[in-house]
Amino acid sequence: MKWTDTSEIASALAQKHPDIDPKLIRYTQLRVWVMELNHFNDDPDHCGEKILEAIQMMWIDEVDEKSA
């Protein structure tokens, strides 16, 4: 996975951290968790706030879909 694979990353985070409300996570923690994912293999320096925001929004959407 690369930073731009926001949907895939969001899905993996939702599975790995099912009890976490993605609306409350800080970008610093989100960045760490993304880099810890098994299939993540992108350069840590290629991540910025916009990418983290996109990942967080996709994660929020995924959680909302599951709870609907």
Side-chain angles (χ1 to χ4, degrees), residues 21-45:
D21 182 348
K23 295 174 190 163
L24 304 177
I25 191 156
R26 294 180 181 180
Y27 288 156
T28 52
Q29 184 63 54
L30 180 58
R31 185 175 185 272
V32 169
W33 283 355
V34 170
M35 291 188 299
E36 290 176 348
L37 292 172
N38 287 335
H39 299 292
F40 182 79
N41 60 352
D42 203 354
D43 186 340
D45 293 333

Side-chain angles (χ1 to χ4, degrees), residues 5-6 9 12 14 16-17 19 29-30 33-34 37-39 53 55-57 61:
D5 298 323
T6 55
I9 290 171
K16 188 169 183 177
H17 303 283
D19 298 328
Q29 184 63 54
L30 180 58
W33 283 355
V34 170
L37 292 172
N38 287 335
H39 299 292
E53 181 180 15
I55 292 168
Q56 183 184 37
M57 296 310 293
D61 288 347

Side-chain angles (χ1 to χ4, degrees), residues 1-3 12 16 18 37-38 40 43-44 46 50-51 59:
M1 275 185 280
K2 304 290 183 197
W3 287 111
K16 188 169 183 177
L37 292 172
N38 287 335
F40 182 79
D43 186 340
H46 289 163
K50 288 186 181 213
I51 290 174
W59 188 3

